[in-house]
Short mmCIF file of all heavy atoms in Angstrom, two decimals:
data_model
loop_
_atom_site.label_atom_id
_atom_site.label_comp_id
_atom_site.label_asym_id
_atom_site.label_seq_id
_atom_site.Cartn_x
_atom_site.Cartn_y
_atom_site.Cartn_z
N THR A 250 142.05 109.68 102.66
CA THR A 250 141.67 110.78 101.89
C THR A 250 142.95 111.26 101.09
O THR A 250 144.08 110.96 101.42
CB THR A 250 141.22 111.97 102.75
OG1 THR A 250 140.70 113.00 101.93
CG2 THR A 250 142.33 112.59 103.62
N SER A 251 142.63 111.92 100.01
CA SER A 251 143.74 112.28 98.94
C SER A 251 144.54 113.62 99.39
O SER A 251 143.85 114.56 99.90
CB SER A 251 143.18 112.50 97.65
OG SER A 251 142.58 111.32 97.17
N TRP A 295 132.21 108.75 102.93
CA TRP A 295 133.02 109.98 103.03
C TRP A 295 132.81 110.48 104.47
O TRP A 295 131.90 110.01 105.24
CB TRP A 295 132.44 111.09 102.06
CG TRP A 295 132.38 110.60 100.64
CD1 TRP A 295 131.16 110.43 100.03
CD2 TRP A 295 133.52 110.39 99.79
NE1 TRP A 295 131.64 109.95 98.72
CE2 TRP A 295 132.95 109.98 98.55
CE3 TRP A 295 134.90 110.41 99.86
CZ2 TRP A 295 133.77 109.57 97.51
CZ3 TRP A 295 135.66 110.04 98.86
CH2 TRP A 295 135.08 109.68 97.59
N ILE A 296 133.62 111.42 104.83
CA ILE A 296 133.59 111.94 106.31
C ILE A 296 132.24 112.58 106.58
O ILE A 296 131.73 112.43 107.70
CB ILE A 296 134.69 112.92 106.61
CG1 ILE A 296 134.79 113.17 108.05
CG2 ILE A 296 134.56 114.18 105.72
CD1 ILE A 296 135.27 112.18 108.90
N THR A 297 131.57 113.22 105.64
CA THR A 297 130.35 113.86 105.84
C THR A 297 129.26 112.75 106.30
O THR A 297 128.47 112.99 107.33
CB THR A 297 129.81 114.58 104.58
OG1 THR A 297 130.74 115.49 104.16
CG2 THR A 297 128.47 115.28 104.91
N TYR A 301 127.80 113.11 109.93
CA TYR A 301 126.58 113.80 109.92
C TYR A 301 125.49 112.80 109.27
O TYR A 301 124.36 113.39 109.05
CB TYR A 301 126.61 115.07 109.23
CG TYR A 301 127.51 116.06 110.10
CD1 TYR A 301 128.79 116.46 109.54
CD2 TYR A 301 127.26 116.37 111.33
CE1 TYR A 301 129.66 117.25 110.30
CE2 TYR A 301 128.07 117.25 112.05
CZ TYR A 301 129.25 117.53 111.57
OH TYR A 301 130.13 118.36 112.33
N TYR A 341 120.64 118.51 104.00
CA TYR A 341 122.09 118.88 104.01
C TYR A 341 122.66 118.17 102.86
O TYR A 341 122.76 116.97 102.72
CB TYR A 341 122.61 118.23 105.22
CG TYR A 341 124.19 118.72 105.60
CD1 TYR A 341 124.74 119.91 105.12
CD2 TYR A 341 124.96 117.81 106.33
CE1 TYR A 341 126.05 120.23 105.50
CE2 TYR A 341 126.32 118.10 106.60
CZ TYR A 341 126.81 119.27 106.25
OH TYR A 341 128.15 119.76 106.59
N PRO A 344 126.96 121.41 96.77
CA PRO A 344 126.75 122.27 95.62
C PRO A 344 126.63 121.57 94.42
O PRO A 344 125.82 121.94 93.52
CB PRO A 344 127.96 123.19 95.78
CG PRO A 344 128.39 123.19 97.19
CD PRO A 344 128.03 121.79 97.68
N SER A 371 124.88 123.04 103.12
CA SER A 371 125.80 122.74 101.97
C SER A 371 127.15 122.45 102.48
O SER A 371 127.58 122.97 103.45
CB SER A 371 125.84 124.09 101.06
OG SER A 371 126.87 123.93 100.16
N VAL A 372 127.82 121.48 101.77
CA VAL A 372 129.09 121.04 102.20
C VAL A 372 129.91 120.49 101.10
O VAL A 372 129.31 119.95 100.08
CB VAL A 372 128.97 119.94 103.31
CG1 VAL A 372 128.25 118.65 102.81
CG2 VAL A 372 130.35 119.45 103.76
N GLY A 373 131.24 120.56 101.14
CA GLY A 373 132.07 119.77 100.31
C GLY A 373 132.96 120.64 99.33
O GLY A 373 133.99 120.26 98.87
N GLU A 374 132.50 121.86 98.96
CA GLU A 374 133.11 122.63 98.02
C GLU A 374 132.50 124.04 98.11
O GLU A 374 131.40 124.21 98.64
CB GLU A 374 132.89 122.11 96.59
CG GLU A 374 131.56 121.66 96.31
CD GLU A 374 131.14 121.28 94.90
OE1 GLU A 374 131.74 121.86 94.00
OE2 GLU A 374 130.26 120.52 94.75
N PRO A 375 133.12 125.04 97.60
CA PRO A 375 132.61 126.38 97.58
C PRO A 375 131.27 126.35 96.86
O PRO A 375 131.20 125.78 95.83
CB PRO A 375 133.71 127.15 96.90
CG PRO A 375 134.92 126.39 96.90
CD PRO A 375 134.50 124.95 96.97
N ILE A 376 130.28 126.95 97.37
CA ILE A 376 129.01 127.15 96.78
C ILE A 376 129.04 128.47 95.93
O ILE A 376 129.26 129.54 96.57
CB ILE A 376 127.79 127.00 97.66
CG1 ILE A 376 126.46 127.01 96.83
CG2 ILE A 376 127.85 127.83 98.81
CD1 ILE A 376 125.34 126.57 97.70
N VAL A 396 123.12 126.77 105.89
CA VAL A 396 124.39 126.81 106.54
C VAL A 396 125.37 126.16 105.53
O VAL A 396 125.21 125.06 105.05
CB VAL A 396 124.30 125.91 107.81
CG1 VAL A 396 123.46 126.73 108.89
CG2 VAL A 396 123.68 124.54 107.73
N ASP A 397 126.26 127.11 105.17
CA ASP A 397 127.37 126.77 104.29
C ASP A 397 128.50 126.25 105.21
O ASP A 397 129.16 127.06 105.78
CB ASP A 397 127.80 127.83 103.41
CG ASP A 397 129.01 127.57 102.47
OD1 ASP A 397 129.51 126.55 102.46
OD2 ASP A 397 129.46 128.55 101.76
N THR A 398 128.70 124.96 105.25
CA THR A 398 129.59 124.45 106.26
C THR A 398 130.93 124.09 105.75
O THR A 398 131.05 123.24 104.81
CB THR A 398 128.99 123.02 106.90
OG1 THR A 398 128.88 122.10 105.91
CG2 THR A 398 127.60 123.35 107.46
N TRP A 399 131.93 124.68 106.19
CA TRP A 399 133.34 124.37 105.77
C TRP A 399 133.94 123.45 106.76
O TRP A 399 134.03 123.73 107.97
CB TRP A 399 134.26 125.58 105.57
CG TRP A 399 135.55 125.17 105.31
CD1 TRP A 399 136.18 124.77 104.05
CD2 TRP A 399 136.69 125.02 106.20
NE1 TRP A 399 137.35 124.34 104.20
CE2 TRP A 399 137.80 124.46 105.55
CE3 TRP A 399 136.78 125.18 107.61
CZ2 TRP A 399 139.05 124.21 106.19
CZ3 TRP A 399 138.05 124.86 108.21
CH2 TRP A 399 139.08 124.38 107.50
N TRP A 400 134.53 122.38 106.25
CA TRP A 400 135.38 121.53 107.08
C TRP A 400 136.06 120.42 106.35
O TRP A 400 136.02 120.52 105.03
CB TRP A 400 134.49 120.82 108.24
CG TRP A 400 133.29 119.99 107.79
CD1 TRP A 400 132.23 120.56 107.12
CD2 TRP A 400 133.13 118.62 108.00
NE1 TRP A 400 131.35 119.46 106.96
CE2 TRP A 400 131.83 118.30 107.47
CE3 TRP A 400 133.77 117.66 108.63
CZ2 TRP A 400 131.27 116.95 107.40
CZ3 TRP A 400 133.34 116.26 108.60
CH2 TRP A 400 132.17 116.00 108.05
N GLN A 401 136.68 119.48 106.85
CA GLN A 401 137.54 118.43 106.12
C GLN A 401 137.55 117.17 106.85
O GLN A 401 137.18 117.03 107.99
CB GLN A 401 138.91 118.97 106.16
CG GLN A 401 139.22 120.41 105.65
CD GLN A 401 140.68 120.79 105.74
OE1 GLN A 401 141.21 120.78 106.78
NE2 GLN A 401 141.22 121.04 104.53
N THR A 402 137.88 116.12 106.07
CA THR A 402 138.09 114.77 106.67
C THR A 402 138.91 114.85 108.03
O THR A 402 138.68 114.31 108.99
CB THR A 402 138.77 113.82 105.69
OG1 THR A 402 138.05 113.82 104.38
CG2 THR A 402 138.87 112.41 106.22
N GLU A 403 139.94 115.73 107.84
CA GLU A 403 140.94 115.76 108.93
C GLU A 403 140.34 116.58 110.19
O GLU A 403 140.76 116.34 111.34
CB GLU A 403 142.17 116.63 108.57
CG GLU A 403 143.01 115.84 107.41
CD GLU A 403 142.51 116.14 106.04
OE1 GLU A 403 141.31 116.65 105.87
OE2 GLU A 403 143.25 115.91 105.11
N THR A 404 139.35 117.43 109.96
CA THR A 404 138.76 118.25 111.05
C THR A 404 137.75 117.42 111.86
O THR A 404 137.39 117.85 112.95
CB THR A 404 138.23 119.56 110.63
OG1 THR A 404 137.01 119.42 109.84
CG2 THR A 404 139.33 120.30 109.82
N GLY A 406 134.77 117.41 111.98
CA GLY A 406 133.42 117.95 111.97
C GLY A 406 133.44 119.38 111.50
O GLY A 406 134.58 119.89 111.17
N ILE A 409 133.79 125.99 110.29
CA ILE A 409 133.34 127.41 109.96
C ILE A 409 132.02 127.33 109.28
O ILE A 409 131.86 126.63 108.27
CB ILE A 409 134.33 128.23 109.01
CG1 ILE A 409 135.78 128.20 109.59
CG2 ILE A 409 133.88 129.71 108.81
CD1 ILE A 409 136.82 128.97 108.82
N THR A 421 127.60 132.53 99.68
CA THR A 421 129.09 132.10 99.29
C THR A 421 129.92 132.16 100.48
O THR A 421 131.09 131.81 100.42
CB THR A 421 129.62 132.74 98.09
OG1 THR A 421 130.07 134.09 98.47
CG2 THR A 421 128.66 132.76 96.92
N PHE A 422 129.41 132.56 101.67
CA PHE A 422 130.31 132.71 102.88
C PHE A 422 129.92 131.56 103.84
O PHE A 422 128.80 131.34 104.16
CB PHE A 422 130.17 134.05 103.53
CG PHE A 422 131.00 135.12 102.86
CD1 PHE A 422 130.41 135.74 101.63
CD2 PHE A 422 132.15 135.56 103.21
CE1 PHE A 422 131.09 136.74 101.01
CE2 PHE A 422 132.88 136.55 102.60
CZ PHE A 422 132.33 137.13 101.47
N ALA A 423 131.08 130.96 104.35
CA ALA A 423 130.82 129.98 105.46
C ALA A 423 130.74 130.76 106.81
O ALA A 423 130.50 130.19 107.80
CB ALA A 423 132.00 128.99 105.50
N THR A 485 145.30 123.91 106.37
CA THR A 485 144.19 123.17 105.79
C THR A 485 144.32 122.90 104.40
O THR A 485 143.57 122.10 103.87
CB THR A 485 142.93 124.19 105.92
OG1 THR A 485 143.17 125.34 105.05
CG2 THR A 485 142.58 124.53 107.37
N GLY A 486 145.33 123.56 103.64
CA GLY A 486 145.29 123.31 102.23
C GLY A 486 144.34 124.28 101.42
O GLY A 486 144.35 124.28 100.27
N ASP A 487 143.55 125.00 102.15
CA ASP A 487 142.63 125.94 101.46
C ASP A 487 143.03 127.41 101.55
O ASP A 487 143.64 127.88 102.48
CB ASP A 487 141.26 125.88 102.20
CG ASP A 487 140.47 124.57 101.87
OD1 ASP A 487 140.44 124.33 100.62
OD2 ASP A 487 139.93 123.94 102.72
N GLY A 488 142.63 128.15 100.51
CA GLY A 488 142.74 129.49 100.38
C GLY A 488 141.49 130.19 101.00
O GLY A 488 140.37 129.51 100.85
N ARG A 498 135.29 133.27 103.62
CA ARG A 498 134.77 132.62 102.41
C ARG A 498 135.95 131.75 101.96
O ARG A 498 137.03 132.27 101.74
CB ARG A 498 134.49 133.57 101.37
CG ARG A 498 134.17 133.01 100.01
CD ARG A 498 134.38 134.01 98.99
NE ARG A 498 133.32 133.94 97.92
CZ ARG A 498 132.98 134.85 97.13
NH1 ARG A 498 133.54 136.03 97.23
NH2 ARG A 498 132.07 134.62 96.18
N ILE A 499 135.74 130.48 101.80
CA ILE A 499 136.76 129.54 101.42
C ILE A 499 136.78 129.54 99.87
O ILE A 499 135.73 129.26 99.18
CB ILE A 499 136.50 128.11 101.99
CG1 ILE A 499 136.78 128.08 103.46
CG2 ILE A 499 137.45 127.10 101.26
CD1 ILE A 499 136.07 128.84 104.42
N THR A 500 137.86 129.79 99.31
CA THR A 500 138.03 129.97 97.87
C THR A 500 138.57 128.77 97.12
O THR A 500 138.44 128.65 95.89
CB THR A 500 138.94 131.12 97.53
OG1 THR A 500 140.23 131.04 98.38
CG2 THR A 500 138.34 132.47 97.86
N GLY A 501 138.91 127.73 97.91
CA GLY A 501 139.30 126.48 97.17
C GLY A 501 140.68 126.04 97.63
O GLY A 501 141.50 126.77 98.20
N ARG A 502 141.09 124.89 97.11
CA ARG A 502 142.41 124.35 97.46
C ARG A 502 143.53 125.14 96.85
O ARG A 502 143.40 125.58 95.72
CB ARG A 502 142.48 122.88 97.06
CG ARG A 502 141.45 121.92 97.51
CD ARG A 502 141.54 121.59 98.93
NE ARG A 502 142.84 120.97 99.38
CZ ARG A 502 143.02 120.33 100.44
NH1 ARG A 502 142.04 120.18 101.35
NH2 ARG A 502 144.15 119.82 100.74
N VAL A 503 144.67 125.24 97.62
CA VAL A 503 145.74 125.95 97.04
C VAL A 503 146.91 124.94 96.76
O VAL A 503 147.99 125.42 96.39
CB VAL A 503 146.30 127.16 98.00
CG1 VAL A 503 145.28 128.16 98.17
CG2 VAL A 503 146.57 126.52 99.38
N VAL A 506 145.29 119.41 95.08
CA VAL A 506 144.21 118.60 95.28
C VAL A 506 143.06 119.12 94.47
O VAL A 506 142.83 120.36 94.55
CB VAL A 506 143.83 118.54 96.86
CG1 VAL A 506 142.65 117.72 97.03
CG2 VAL A 506 144.96 117.85 97.58
N ASN A 508 138.91 119.26 93.65
CA ASN A 508 137.52 118.96 94.28
C ASN A 508 136.56 118.68 93.10
O ASN A 508 135.99 119.69 92.58
CB ASN A 508 137.26 120.18 95.19
CG ASN A 508 136.19 119.76 96.08
OD1 ASN A 508 135.18 119.06 95.75
ND2 ASN A 508 136.11 120.37 97.32
N GLY A 511 132.67 117.57 94.77
CA GLY A 511 132.84 117.49 96.17
C GLY A 511 133.64 116.36 96.62
O GLY A 511 133.82 116.18 97.79
N HIS A 512 134.26 115.64 95.69
CA HIS A 512 135.22 114.59 96.06
C HIS A 512 136.65 115.02 95.95
O HIS A 512 137.04 115.63 94.95
CB HIS A 512 135.03 113.35 95.26
CG HIS A 512 133.66 112.79 95.21
ND1 HIS A 512 132.84 112.78 96.35
CD2 HIS A 512 132.91 112.24 94.27
CE1 HIS A 512 131.67 112.29 96.15
NE2 HIS A 512 131.65 111.91 94.77
N ARG A 513 137.45 114.72 96.96
CA ARG A 513 138.82 115.12 96.89
C ARG A 513 139.66 114.21 96.11
O ARG A 513 139.55 112.97 96.28
CB ARG A 513 139.38 115.16 98.33
CG ARG A 513 139.43 116.43 98.87
CD ARG A 513 139.55 116.32 100.44
NE ARG A 513 141.02 116.09 100.71
CZ ARG A 513 141.43 116.30 101.98
NH1 ARG A 513 140.64 116.44 102.96
NH2 ARG A 513 142.79 116.15 102.17
C1 WTA B 1 136.49 121.79 100.44
C2 WTA B 1 134.47 117.41 103.29
C3 WTA B 1 134.26 125.59 100.41
C4 WTA B 1 137.74 122.36 101.03
C5 WTA B 1 133.74 117.78 104.57
C6 WTA B 1 138.20 121.40 101.93
C7 WTA B 1 134.60 123.42 101.08
C8 WTA B 1 137.90 120.07 101.29
C9 WTA B 1 133.53 123.41 101.98
C10 WTA B 1 137.64 118.99 102.30
C11 WTA B 1 132.79 124.70 101.92
C12 WTA B 1 134.56 121.50 102.14
N1 WTA B 1 133.12 125.67 101.13
N2 WTA B 1 135.02 124.51 100.37
N3 WTA B 1 131.59 124.76 102.63
N4 WTA B 1 133.43 122.25 102.61
N5 WTA B 1 135.27 122.31 101.21
O1 WTA B 1 137.99 116.10 103.28
O2 WTA B 1 138.55 122.60 99.89
O3 WTA B 1 136.16 115.62 101.50
O4 WTA B 1 139.67 121.47 102.12
O5 WTA B 1 135.70 117.00 103.57
O6 WTA B 1 136.59 120.38 100.67
O7 WTA B 1 137.14 117.73 101.61
P1 WTA B 1 136.75 116.51 102.50
#
Side-chain angles (χ1 to χ4, degrees):
T250 192
S251 294
W295 309 109
I296 190 69
T297 305
Y301 299 110
Y341 187 30
S371 167
V372 61
E374 45 172 328
I376 181 165
V396 292
D397 176 2
T398 64
W399 173 83
W400 59 295
Q401 309 177 296
T402 305
E403 294 86 344
T404 69
I409 303 181
T421 76
F422 281 81
T485 64
D487 280 315
R498 171 201 222 159
I499 286 60
T500 47
R502 304 287 305 196
V503 294
V506 174
N508 194 326
H512 303 323
R513 262 166 82 165

